[in-house]
Amino acid sequence: MRSWTARALLCLRQEAARSADTHLLRLEFPGFPGIEFYFKDEAAHPTGSLKHRLARSLYLYALCNGRLSPGQPVVDASSGSTAISEAWFARLLGLPFTAVMPTATAPRKIADVHALGGHCDLVDDPAQVHERAAWHAANGACHLDQFGLAERATDWRGNNNIAESIIGQLACEPHPQPAWIVCGVGTGGTSATIGRYIRYRALETGLCVAEPAGSAFVHGWRTRNRSAIASQPTAVEGIGRPRVEPGFLFEVVDEVIEVADAASVAAMHLLEEQLGRRYGGSSGTNLVACLELAARMRAAGERGSIVSLLCDPGERYDQTLYDPAWLAENGIDPAPAQVALRATLATGEWHPIN
């Protein structure tokens, strides 16, 4: 057991050494002179998303805590991107993997898990994914438990976590200490890592969480109620959780901005225009929040930088968020939001999105 664990840990260290850091892409918009926008391209990871870092950390945590044995099945609850990354690492370590997913998960994500040798256990009610994952664990699987363990599995003081990487990459930029870092909350691990690191380094940077309108985190953060639940569903996968997850740390978040699904879709198309490739809905959510914060800064006469994340590739949503017929069927019309966002980009003034 110990010798297998040592080999598995070496395998993960070797993988980390082979993986170069992700690019920090800079954008400038005409309406915001003196304000630089940076987007960390986490879609460039081998498994195509921000969750590559999390999956590696969860496997390390399971191994170092003696929870994972040779040949043991691995399970986790995930709407897709984390599952894809976890399936990739399971194949690397020679372990069987099952992802418990809502049936409504984007078909491309389900196919990607299967392509990596994983199995998808689909449940009709998204609220039941945790219970189903616990069932697999009770039958011998190692539950990686991204929602319960993400904030403790990641080394928030450094060790090439995403916050340390961002600050290091900004070192030679005009405003190396960003005014804001913007991210969503899926498991809570990324926001917890960034918020803790900001305080650890004594930075004056604010942490803003960009969330789908009516998510549990929105209501919970504003009322400090960990029993809060979402008041409406979202079509943006990976964020907008229906409940307050254990890894959500309210105390390290300075601002929360709600974003309507239509605005997230409109913004992901704007990102494609600016960067020449497609990204997922949560990346659009982040852009909307960045623009609202920048408009506040401009109105106050402030200069500085804003950093956010490009979370996963748009190809995973070809049959959902990038499909006009699917959007129409789900009552999502991004056209009015796109007009408002273009006006904000041009003028630097926030144009509310109805």
Side-chain angles (χ1 to χ4, degrees), residues 235 260-263 265 321 323-336 354:
D261 285 355
V265 173
L321 297 180
D323 181 354
W326 187 92
L327 292 175
E329 290 171 7
N330 287 272
I332 300 173
D333 178 10
N354 299 320

Side-chain angles (χ1 to χ4, degrees), residues 9-326:
L9 290 168
L10 175 60
C11 186
L12 294 180
R13 286 196 297 271
Q14 289 170 332
E15 184 279 330
R18 291 192 300 267
S19 297
D21 202 355
T22 56
H23 293 290
L24 189 64
L25 308 177
R26 175 172 167 171
L27 292 177
E28 295 182 8
F29 300 119
F32 297 101
I35 299 177
E36 301 88 37
F37 296 80
Y38 299 87
F39 293 89
K40 191 156 178 59
D41 189 4
E42 292 293 282
H45 281 296
T47 56
S49 82
L50 167 71
K51 301 302 185 179
H52 190 83
R53 298 177 190 267
L54 173 60
R56 185 195 295 122
S57 294
L58 289 169
Y59 276 99
L60 287 170
Y61 189 84
L63 287 164
C64 293
N65 281 279
R67 298 175 52 239
L68 186 54
S69 305
Q72 184 180 8
V74 178
V75 68
D76 209 352
S78 169
S79 63
S81 287
T82 303
I84 293 167
S85 298
E86 290 173 339
W88 189 88
F89 278 102
R91 186 176 68 174
L92 186 70
L93 298 175
L95 302 171
F97 174 74
T98 296
V100 180
M101 294 179 166
T103 304
T105 299
R108 174 65 181 270
K109 291 183 176 180
I110 296 172
D112 285 350
V113 171
H114 288 158
L116 291 165
H119 169 70
C120 296
D121 183 358
L122 303 178
V123 296
D124 292 330
D125 182 359
Q128 297 301 310
V129 293
H130 300 287
E131 180 180 340
R132 186 65 179 171
W135 178 87
H136 284 280
N139 284 274
C142 174
H143 186 191
L144 294 177
D145 195 8
Q146 61 161 329
F147 293 105
L149 299 176
E151 58 88 13
R152 71 185 72 173
T154 302
D155 184 355
W156 53 268
R157 295 177 184 86
N159 192 24
N160 195 35
N161 70 41
I162 193 168
E164 181 184 50
S165 177
I166 287 170
I167 298 304
Q169 289 175 314
L170 286 172
C172 297
E173 298 299 311
H175 297 98
Q177 186 174 145
W180 291 96
I181 296 178
V182 177
C183 70
V185 283
T187 63
T190 300
S191 59
T193 297
I194 293 173
R196 287 163 164 170
Y197 188 79
I198 286 170
R199 285 156 178 75
Y200 179 61
R201 289 287 305 276
L203 305 177
E204 297 181 3
T205 301
L207 173 60
C208 174
V209 159
E211 274 286 276
S215 80
F217 187 88
V218 167
H219 297 309
W221 182 81
R222 289 177 177 163
T223 62
R224 292 301 193 269
N225 177 17
R226 300 201 64 84
S227 299
I229 59 174
S231 57
Q232 64 187 76
T234 177
V236 180
E237 295 180 15
I239 56 176
R241 298 294 302 164
R243 71 176 195 181
V244 176
E245 303 295 349
F248 290 177
L249 300 186
F250 297 149
E251 296 77 13
V252 301
V253 175
D254 301 294
E255 176 66 283
V256 171
I257 291 179
E258 289 183 87
V259 180
D261 285 355
S264 295
V265 173
M268 74 185 192
H269 284 288
L270 293 178
L271 283 171
E272 181 182 6
E273 292 177 11
Q274 294 290 327
L275 298 171
R277 64 167 296 188
R278 289 181 167 184
Y279 294 92
S282 59
S283 300
T285 308
N286 289 341
L287 174 59
V288 175
C290 289
L291 293 176
E292 184 169 341
L293 292 170
R296 295 181 196 174
M297 291 174 62
R298 182 182 179 277
E302 299 171 356
R303 294 173 172 263
S305 58
I306 299 175
V307 183
S308 193
L309 311 177
L310 300 169
C311 304
D312 61 357
E315 291 77 11
R316 292 179 178 173
Y317 308 95
D318 284 346
Q319 296 169 274
T320 55
L321 297 180
Y322 280 99
D323 181 354
W326 187 92

